[in-house]
Amino acid sequence: MFLVDLPPLPALLATLGAALMAGLARGFSGFGSALIFIPLASAALGPKLAAPLLLLVDNVTTLPLLPSAWRRADRAQVAALAGGAVLGAPFGTWLLLQADPVLLRWGICLLALGMLGLLASGWRYHGRPALPLSLMVGAGSGLCSGASQLGGPPVVAYWLGGAIPAAQVRANLVLFFAASGVISAAAYLLGGLLGAEAALLALMVSPLYALGVWGGSRMFGRASEAGFRRACFWLIGLAAVLGLPLWDRLR
């Protein structure tokens, strides 16, 4: 019965390819998967299916990263941002449910390009983490995650600028995204977004995404971080441009 609800083969293949590329970015750096996956999957499946799909796939396939992240992360900082995400995620989910899908796709792609600009600019917050600011960053991340699962870059810009070792930043990100995923999942369940179609597609997409996460994790510490980051930026930009509704007639 579920097979009737599967998307057309071209859309499914595009989603699988996006999942592999997104997994590589996630495994290597701890972020970037949504910026690659969501614009492309939204063009293929629609944002109301793409966001829950990434939520399911990412949280299941990155479970092996959690024990190490739990040991290395600054759990107090992660908890502060997660508290903000609790406030922002319900509003983002409301946008995902209520906004016109085409307008939402425009917003997702433009947001992805804006987030890419933030990451590529090199701007980072260089002050000390403070609870009020952490709550604000977490709330903004939760809002973007609820609407599109694009909540990573504000947190990255907040944490990467301080005097924190790269390994701890990566652990913080992995742990925060796990917490944010649980928060978004609760909001999506209440909104009726986690249905059988998303679950079935998650079973199909997860192996390729997991392969990408594994490959990216293996490259962490071996490949050139600067070179891989530049490649990720190019992939993010390409995904955001290709995901624009501007190209729908050509598809």
Side-chain angles (χ1 to χ4, degrees):
M1 177 168 50
F2 292 154
L3 293 178
V4 178
D5 296 326
L6 285 177
L9 184 59
L12 182 59
L13 292 176
T15 303
L16 292 171
L20 179 61
M21 292 187 294
L24 280 170
R26 180 74 155 93
F28 184 87
S29 63
F31 68 95
S33 57
L35 290 169
I36 294 171
F37 182 82
I38 289 295
L40 295 174
S42 293
L45 308 174
K48 289 184 181 179
L49 183 54
L53 175 58
L54 180 63
L55 174 68
L56 290 173
V57 170
D58 186 67
N59 279 268
V60 170
T61 54
T62 56
L63 282 175
L65 302 178
L66 286 180
S68 175
W70 179 263
R71 292 192 300 269
R72 296 182 178 184
D74 185 328
R75 295 192 288 272
Q77 288 190 26
V78 173
L81 265 73
V86 171
L87 302 176
F91 293 99
T93 303
W94 180 85
L95 283 174
L96 179 59
L97 286 166
Q98 300 298 324
D100 176 78
V102 175
L103 288 177
L104 188 58
R105 283 178 52 208
W106 276 104
I108 285 171
C109 292
L110 293 176
L111 178 62
L113 289 171
M115 295 293 191
L116 172 60
L118 173 65
L119 293 174
S121 71
W123 183 89
R124 302 291 185 264
Y125 172 73
H126 295 288
R128 294 177 60 84
L131 181 60
L133 185 56
S134 293
L135 289 172
M136 288 177 59
V137 173
S141 174
L143 176 67
C144 294
S145 292
S148 60
Q149 293 300 300
L150 296 178
V155 181
V156 172
Y158 183 56
W159 272 334
L160 275 184
I164 304 174
Q168 188 181 76
V169 171
R170 183 173 176 272
N172 283 0
L173 291 169
V174 170
L175 193 58
F176 170 74
F177 291 144
S180 177
V182 172
I183 295 164
S184 292
Y188 284 4
L189 277 171
L190 291 173
L193 289 166
L194 291 178
E197 186 177 6
L200 179 61
L201 282 172
L203 289 174
M204 302 176 68
V205 170
S206 291
L208 273 178
Y209 187 80
L211 178 63
V213 171
W214 177 83
S217 298
R218 296 279 293 179
M219 285 189 287
F220 183 70
R222 299 182 183 182
S224 164
E225 183 174 353
F228 192 88
R229 184 166 295 184
R230 282 195 297 271
C232 284
F233 287 166
W234 278 104
L235 285 174
I236 291 168
L238 182 62
V241 170
L242 291 178
L244 287 168
L246 183 68
W247 315 113
D248 283 357
R249 290 186 179 181
L250 299 179
R251 299 188 186 102

